[in-house]
Amino acid sequence: MASLWSSLEKDVFNPQKKRLLETVRVWKTGKKKKMSILCVVVDTFRPMQPFLVKVKVDRGEQYKIAYRWPLAELKLVDGKTLNQGLWQGAWVFTSTEINGKKNSFPVLHPGQIKYICTTCLKGKSQPQFCRASLDFDLQFDKVYKWTASSFEEKNAFIRCLWKLNHRFLTSSITFVNVPSCAAEGRQRPHEDRKDAAETESQEELSEYQEMTPKEAADVLKLMEEYKPLVNNSVAFAEQLSNDLHVLDEANLRAIISSEKQVTQLMSSIDEALAEVARVEETLQIYDELLGSVKQQMDHIHRENSLLHRIVSNKARLVDEILFLTTHLNLSREHCDALSQADLSSPSRVKACIAAAEALSGCMNIQIQPGYRKLQSVAEQLIMFETLKQNFENSFISHITSIFELQGNAQVPALGQAVHNLSAPSHGLHHEELVPYTPLMAWLRNANPVLFCDLPKVYAQNLSRLYDREIKALFEQAKTSLLGRRKGSLQESLEKPMAMGSRQQSRWSLPGSREGQEDTPDKGNVIKMLEQVLRELQPLCTTEQQFIEKFFQLSHDAADLQVLEASATKGGESMASPEDPLCTKPRSQLEEPTTQLLCEIFSCLEPELRGFLDVCNKVHPFGCLQVLVTLNDSIFEMWGNSSALPSSFLNTVLGNMLLLAKSSFNKCIGTLCKEIEEAKLPSKMKGGILPSVSRFEEFVNFSEEVFRTAQRRGELDKAHRRLASSVFSSINSLSSANLKVNTDMVMMENFHHIHCFLCQKKIHCLEGKKREAKQRYSEHMEKYVIKYLGQPLEKLHHFFEGVKARVAQGVKEEEVSFQLAYSKQELRKVIDKYPGKEVKRALETLYRKIHKYLSPEENLLPVVWHAMEQEFLRQYQEFEDLIQRCYAGSGIAMDFTMEDLLSYFNSITLSNM
């Protein structure tokens, strides 16, 4: 019960500022046992009004008020306890008084035996029959029959109603079949006995009391007076007994002498008791009088509350009426402006804007749903809706006609010279539409469905005008680029293509002497493309700014982020123009601004793609120029403070940049394949290979184009790819059937590449430069070793065999005992190479090297010096082997180290 009580107070009644007095769990009599809770509550504020509340418990164990009755409406309470049926009770006995005192043990007399009913709590002299019922009725406007869960709860509930009836309702409720003792809340006799026993036990426990400080001081004083007798307890006790006897005698004499005063005191007490009885009767009368006054005051308080409520309701009604009449009132001027919808002059447009805003203010006022049922309010709202619809139709018709007129406007003639290339301005068209911007904002808020169709209508009409202007702009750009008139554009395109094929077959670039005839200036492509982009930027940016302001479109930084990602990552792939990667940014920018601009500039991307194809065809390496120009233009737009952070043109140029990177990668791939698969002429006698010259010319051309470029990541990748292809082409010479020494050709080409890269100082090719130097050194060493064996060939073979025997484990002093390497064989070989023969062989070798080495590389002194050092090293090695393996034989070569030095010096001086 405690948890039920606390839950009801916390969850149900405390939030409503009610105080719970009593509860009883009940269900409807005679029906299915569906438990509810009847609660008696009273207000926590004055005037305090009692209520009867029915509470139900839902499936979630949550308490919910089902119904509430004011207790003042309760007319009758039927307890349904009748004096019939079976009896139940207990015999109790009353105690008697003997000599005016209550006996500790009762003395039974026949007239003192009573019967107490445990149901109604009434004492009876004879046993009677009484039945306890759990049913009770409560009569309001109708009778509610309930059955309580227990008799104790029912009895406590009815007792609470009885008390509230006497306290708040002046006994206006009638109680039927309710015992008075149960209603008044009397205790049972055995409870009286229990309380009396508890009181006696408490009195016994309270007999012992601690001495007060005054009593303790008196005891100490007494002990000091009888100090000599304290040690003798018997004498001290006798002395105290004598003193007590004297005091008792004095008290008795005082009582006997004060009998008259006692009698007077008793009479005074009797008079006081009589006076108290009279005061109680007077207080009872006053209480009855105040009860009626309290009822009258409560009635007055209720009347005052009703008056205050009436005044408050009148004030609120006046406020609501003023609110409706103020905010739902549209002036006659505004109504006329909306009904006429005259948009022919700026002043009338401003009047329509003011009227539309006033109409929106009236229609957007939040009013109670019930107010809409008022006839005047409903008529006013219907009038507002009619004005709004009529003005919407008129405004849409007017603005649509303006869109159509602008879309059908004539395209002005464009100049033919490069410096006269310019796109028409749409400033006048935008100025004509700007005054209608507030009405577009109003229409967007008033009718979003109709507003959504206007951008589409605008795009459909303006796209025709932009198609004509953009196509004319690109036609003029193509004519200026090719140096031909419009009728011969196809002829101009076919000639550079054929020329480019001839140049590629001759391994020449447009910058070379062979490719300079009839080829447009390489700077003209860049200038023309930059001019076209400069004209497109204000055209697209202005249009984007206008539609965002006019159609209230939003934009954010998503365009720029996607464009940056496509610009940094798109060039790494080898995707074709039709690859989905090229259109990925467009799909990620599906927002209203982008969609609308795509419809307006529907021909911009195809025309720009076609113009880039022309640029690529005009110049064999036009893709390089296009890539640089697009990169620079995009970075210039990003750095321009006047450009939009997510402009439509940036998105288009991002797609074109992906296309240019793809074309550039294809061009580099084709060039690498041509270099790797190139076949050398059969009559080639050495010198610099065509692939090396091709690589050198490409690097020179690309470095000149990228000299001012802001990004060169793609060029660095192309340089590394081409360098790898050139190295692969040079390495393939080892399997070629050349009439000259392969090591010599490879040495010359790697030396040429190394010198060229040292001159250019390209950072990304530092690794290739070091590799070229290493390969050049390796092949020069091989070339020197191979040709050095020719002057002393037999001697060289002989000592190679000696070293082989030593390597096989033959002792050096035993080599001379080998038949093939005996002293006699050594002398025969040495005799074949006198000093004059060696000098003649060196001169022949010098002439042979001079014949096959290309004079452009100037490698003859370097190679001859390397041969001199290698020859001297071999000579010293031969001398060492003779000293170790043929010691004491007296065998020596016909020439010395000084002779060899003189031979080399004389040959060098004679050929200078």
Side-chain angles (χ1 to χ4, degrees):
M1 179 66 72
S3 61
L4 173 64
W5 192 286
S6 61
S7 299
L8 288 172
E9 282 188 329
K10 179 180 178 182
D11 300 336
V12 181
F13 299 115
N14 285 345
Q16 299 183 3
K17 296 183 180 181
K18 299 285 192 290
R19 182 163 61 91
L20 180 62
L21 300 180
E22 193 58 66
T23 63
V24 57
R25 290 173 290 181
V26 298
W27 63 88
K28 291 183 179 181
T29 303
K31 293 187 179 181
K32 185 178 180 181
K33 189 175 181 181
K34 189 175 182 181
M35 192 69 68
S36 299
I37 303 172
L38 290 180
C39 303
V40 180
V41 297
V42 66
D43 293 330
T44 58
F45 52 86
R46 293 187 180 277
M48 300 174 63
Q49 298 292 331
F51 295 91
L52 180 64
V53 180
K54 178 182 177 183
V55 179
K56 289 185 177 182
V57 184
D58 58 13
R59 294 182 180 179
E61 298 298 327
Q62 298 293 325
Y63 298 104
K64 182 180 180 181
I65 295 179
Y67 204 82
R68 183 176 66 174
W69 301 271
L71 207 59
E73 298 179 3
L74 182 61
K75 300 176 181 178
L76 183 140
V77 177
D78 188 356
K80 293 191 176 182
T81 301
L82 305 179
N83 294 327
Q84 59 182 356
L86 296 177
W87 62 270
Q88 54 183 351
W91 291 102
V92 297
F93 307 97
T94 61
S95 60
T96 62
E97 294 183 358
I98 301 176
N99 297 328
K101 296 182 179 180
K102 187 174 182 179
N103 290 333
S104 299
F105 300 95
V107 178
L108 302 181
H109 297 278
Q112 295 173 339
I113 300 175
K114 288 188 176 182
Y115 178 80
I116 300 299
C117 178
T118 58
T119 302
C120 63
L121 302 180
K122 285 186 177 181
K124 304 177 178 63
S125 60
Q126 296 296 329
Q128 297 179 358
F129 297 97
C130 186
R131 186 184 66 180
S133 175
L134 297 178
D135 299 338
F136 65 95
D137 296 345
L138 300 178
Q139 181 178 351
F140 292 93
D141 293 337
K142 68 176 183 178
V143 178
Y144 296 91
K145 299 180 180 293
W146 306 100
T147 300
S149 61
S150 66
F151 183 78
E152 287 76 10
E153 292 186 8
K154 169 189 171 184
N155 195 16
F157 179 74
I158 294 177
R159 186 184 303 119
C160 181
L161 294 178
W162 186 85
K163 291 180 180 179
L164 294 176
N165 179 40
H166 285 76
R167 181 175 179 182
F168 293 100
L169 306 175
T170 65
S171 302
S172 63
I173 303 176
T174 304
F175 288 83
V176 180
N177 296 324
V178 177
S180 60
C181 60
E184 296 172 0
R186 297 174 182 172
Q187 292 182 334
R188 295 183 177 89
H190 67 275
E191 294 179 354
D192 295 337
R193 293 198 309 273
K194 182 178 179 181
D195 294 342
E198 292 178 354
T199 303
E200 292 177 358
S201 62
Q202 291 176 359
E203 290 177 355
E204 292 176 356
L205 292 175
S206 62
E207 286 180 357
Y208 172 75
Q209 295 182 357
E210 188 178 358
M211 289 191 299
T212 63
K214 185 177 182 304
E215 292 174 346
D218 293 341
V219 171
L220 291 175
K221 183 178 180 182
L222 180 66
M223 297 290 286
E224 290 178 356
E225 290 178 359
Y226 296 97
K227 191 173 184 181
L229 298 177
V230 172
N231 294 331
N232 188 352
S233 60
V234 176
F236 181 63
E238 290 179 357
Q239 183 65 36
L240 292 178
S241 178
N242 293 332
D243 293 342
L244 182 60
H245 183 66
V246 172
L247 292 175
D248 287 340
E249 288 181 356
N251 288 334
L252 288 175
R253 289 190 185 96
I255 292 172
I256 293 171
S257 62
S258 63
E259 181 177 1
K260 185 177 179 179
Q261 288 83 353
V262 171
T263 303
Q264 293 177 356
L265 177 63
M266 295 299 294
S267 62
S268 299
I269 292 173
D270 291 339
E271 292 176 359
L273 290 174
E275 186 67 24
V276 168
R278 286 194 300 272
V279 170
E280 287 181 351
E281 290 178 359
T282 305
L283 291 176
Q284 182 67 27
I285 294 172
Y286 289 164
D287 185 55
E288 292 177 357
L289 293 176
L290 289 176
S292 62
V293 171
K294 180 180 180 299
Q295 184 177 5
Q296 294 174 3
M297 293 301 296
D298 291 341
H299 179 71
I300 293 172
H301 189 278
R302 285 194 295 270
E303 293 295 332
N304 288 336
S305 299
L306 292 176
L307 289 176
H308 285 299
R309 187 171 299 175
I310 291 171
V311 172
S312 176
N313 290 339
K314 286 183 178 180
R316 290 183 60 185
L317 180 60
V318 172
D319 293 340
E320 293 297 330
I321 292 175
L322 290 176
F323 175 81
L324 293 176
T325 55
T326 302
H327 293 87
L328 294 182
N329 183 29
L330 190 64
S331 65
R332 174 53 55 187
E333 293 80 5
H334 291 164
C335 292
D336 293 341
L338 293 174
S339 58
Q340 294 174 6
D342 188 358
L343 301 171
S344 58
S345 64
S347 60
R348 294 180 179 179
V349 170
K350 291 181 180 179
C352 290
I353 293 173
E357 291 177 351
L359 178 62
S360 296
C362 293
M363 298 186 69
N364 294 332
I365 293 297
Q366 298 294 331
I367 60 176
Q368 299 293 335
Y371 293 165
R372 298 180 181 273
K373 298 180 181 179
L374 299 175
Q375 182 178 358
S376 58
V377 175
E379 291 176 354
Q380 195 76 357
L381 294 178
I382 292 173
M383 183 191 72
F384 291 160
E385 186 64 27
T386 303
L387 288 174
K388 182 176 79 72
Q389 293 180 1
N390 292 337
F391 183 71
E392 285 175 356
N393 296 331
S394 300
F395 172 68
I396 291 175
S397 176
H398 179 76
I399 201 72
T400 302
S401 62
I402 296 177
F403 293 162
E404 292 176 353
L405 290 175
Q406 291 184 358
N408 295 327
Q410 296 297 324
V411 178
L414 301 178
Q416 297 296 332
V418 176
H419 59 274
N420 292 329
L421 183 66
S422 62
S425 175
H426 285 223
L428 296 178
H429 297 331
H430 296 165
E431 290 176 1
E432 183 182 2
L433 293 173
V434 164
Y436 301 101
T437 302
L439 289 178
M440 294 296 295
W442 171 82
L443 182 62
R444 179 178 184 177
N445 296 326
N447 198 333
V449 177
L450 293 178
F451 175 81
C452 290
D453 294 333
L454 288 181
K456 300 177 182 178
V457 175
Y458 177 82
Q460 291 173 359
N461 288 278
L462 269 294
S463 62
R464 298 197 300 270
L465 176 62
Y466 277 109
D467 286 352
R468 295 192 298 270
E469 293 177 351
I470 291 174
K471 288 180 180 179
L473 176 68
F474 279 105
E475 287 296 329
Q476 181 186 0
K478 293 176 185 178
T479 303
S480 301
L481 178 63
L482 299 174
R484 299 289 190 273
R485 295 301 176 190
K486 184 175 179 181
S488 57
L489 281 179
Q490 187 65 29
E491 179 185 353
S492 302
L493 288 176
E494 292 175 356
K495 186 173 182 180
M497 291 178 61
M499 185 191 309
S501 62
R502 292 197 306 270
Q503 289 170 350
Q504 292 180 6
S505 63
R506 293 199 302 265
W507 291 90
S508 62
L509 279 171
S512 64
R513 292 189 301 269
E514 298 177 354
Q516 289 180 349
E517 296 180 359
D518 298 332
T519 302
D521 183 14
K522 63 183 178 183
N524 192 28
V525 175
I526 297 177
K527 291 179 181 179
M528 183 56 60
L529 183 56
E530 289 177 350
Q531 181 72 15
V532 170
L533 296 180
R534 278 196 298 270
E535 294 300 325
L536 290 177
Q537 181 180 357
L539 187 69
C540 297
T541 303
T542 305
E543 184 64 31
Q544 180 174 349
Q545 291 174 344
F546 170 74
I547 64 172
E548 286 179 353
K549 179 180 179 181
F550 187 72
F551 293 107
Q552 307 293 319
L553 301 177
S554 62
H555 62 275
D556 50 24
D559 297 4
L560 183 61
Q561 295 175 358
V562 174
L563 183 60
E564 290 177 351
S566 63
T568 54
K569 298 181 181 179
E572 298 179 2
S573 64
M574 294 294 293
S576 62
E578 295 78 16
D579 190 63
L581 181 63
C582 298
T583 59
K584 185 176 181 180
R586 178 65 55 83
S587 63
Q588 293 179 349
L589 297 176
E590 289 298 333
E591 59 174 13
T593 304
T594 306
Q595 294 177 0
L596 191 59
L597 289 171
C598 288
E599 295 181 22
I600 295 174
F601 296 101
S602 57
C603 72
L604 176 59
E605 189 166 339
E607 289 293 329
L608 187 57
R609 189 187 297 265
F611 181 69
L612 295 182
D613 290 340
V614 172
C615 294
N616 293 335
K617 294 175 181 178
V618 163
H619 198 281
F621 284 99
C623 58
L624 205 64
Q625 299 170 321
V626 170
L627 180 62
V628 173
T629 306
L630 288 176
N631 261 325
D632 292 345
S633 298
I634 290 177
F635 277 101
E636 182 180 356
M637 289 183 184
W638 287 347
N640 188 4
S641 59
S642 62
L644 293 177
S646 59
S647 67
F648 169 76
L649 185 59
N650 281 343
T651 306
V652 174
L653 293 184
N655 292 335
M656 295 301 102
L657 182 60
L658 293 179
L659 179 64
K661 289 179 180 180
S662 177
S663 301
F664 177 71
N665 290 332
K666 283 185 177 181
C667 178
I668 297 301
T670 303
L671 185 59
C672 291
K673 186 176 180 181
E674 291 177 356
I675 291 174
E676 293 173 358
E677 297 178 356
K679 294 182 180 180
L680 298 178
S682 58
K683 297 181 180 181
M684 182 178 178
K685 296 182 179 180
I688 305 304
L689 297 177
S691 59
V692 176
S693 301
R694 180 76 163 172
F695 171 73
E696 181 180 354
E697 293 174 355
F698 176 82
V699 170
N700 288 328
F701 176 77
S702 61
E703 286 297 320
E704 181 181 357
V705 173
F706 274 82
R707 184 176 63 256
T708 59
Q710 300 183 28
R711 295 179 72 251
R712 51 174 296 139
E714 291 77 15
L715 181 62
D716 291 341
K717 295 176 186 177
H719 281 168
R720 287 192 290 268
R721 290 181 61 190
L722 286 173
S724 300
S725 299
V726 170
F727 280 30
S728 175
S729 175
I730 296 174
N731 292 332
S732 64
L733 293 177
S734 59
S735 59
N737 296 323
L738 300 179
K739 295 182 178 181
V740 293
N741 186 272
T742 305
D743 292 322
M744 181 194 70
V745 178
M746 297 173 73
M747 174 190 66
E748 284 186 315
N749 283 275
F750 281 119
H751 177 265
H752 183 80
I753 293 174
H754 176 262
C755 295
F756 174 72
L757 295 181
C758 289
Q759 178 186 0
K760 287 298 180 181
K761 297 180 181 179
I762 301 175
H763 179 72
C764 66
L765 296 178
E766 288 294 324
K768 294 297 181 181
K769 183 178 70 174
R770 291 190 295 269
E771 182 182 356
K773 182 178 180 180
Q774 179 184 357
R775 301 291 296 275
Y776 147 70
S777 301
E778 292 176 358
H779 288 289
M780 186 176 68
E781 183 179 355
K782 293 180 180 179
Y783 176 72
V784 169
I785 292 175
K786 181 175 181 181
Y787 276 85
L788 193 60
Q790 294 179 1
L792 306 175
E793 185 176 2
K794 295 182 179 180
L795 191 62
H796 176 74
H797 288 310
F798 181 85
F799 282 107
E800 286 293 328
V802 171
K803 289 191 291 183
R805 292 294 186 273
V806 174
Q808 292 174 0
V810 178
K811 295 181 180 180
E812 293 180 350
E813 58 271 14
E814 296 179 357
V815 172
S816 60
F817 297 103
Q818 299 286 331
L819 183 60
Y821 304 100
S822 61
K823 298 177 183 179
Q824 292 79 8
E825 292 296 329
L826 178 60
R827 288 190 182 95
K828 290 179 182 179
V829 174
I830 290 176
D831 292 340
K832 293 180 180 180
Y833 293 99
K836 295 180 179 181
E837 186 65 26
V838 172
K839 182 179 180 181
R840 190 182 302 111
L842 291 175
E843 290 175 349
T844 304
L845 179 61
Y846 183 86
R847 288 192 297 270
K848 188 174 182 180
I849 295 174
H850 183 270
K851 178 181 178 181
Y852 289 106
L853 283 177
S854 60
E856 293 82 1
E857 295 302 313
N858 196 22
L859 285 176
L860 182 59
V862 179
V863 175
W864 184 248
H865 179 70
M867 285 196 169
E868 178 182 357
Q869 297 298 323
E870 183 65 22
F871 197 89
L872 295 177
R873 187 194 63 80
Q874 286 189 3
Y875 174 80
Q876 188 63 41
E877 182 182 7
F878 295 162
E879 286 290 335
D880 292 341
L881 287 175
I882 293 173
Q883 294 296 329
R884 294 199 310 269
C885 299
Y886 302 94
S889 61
I891 301 175
M893 286 187 286
D894 190 50
F895 50 90
T896 62
M897 183 73 72
E898 291 74 10
D899 297 335
L900 291 178
L901 291 173
S902 64
Y903 297 160
F904 278 100
N905 289 333
S906 62
I907 294 173
T908 302
L909 294 174
S910 62
N911 291 278
M912 287 184 65

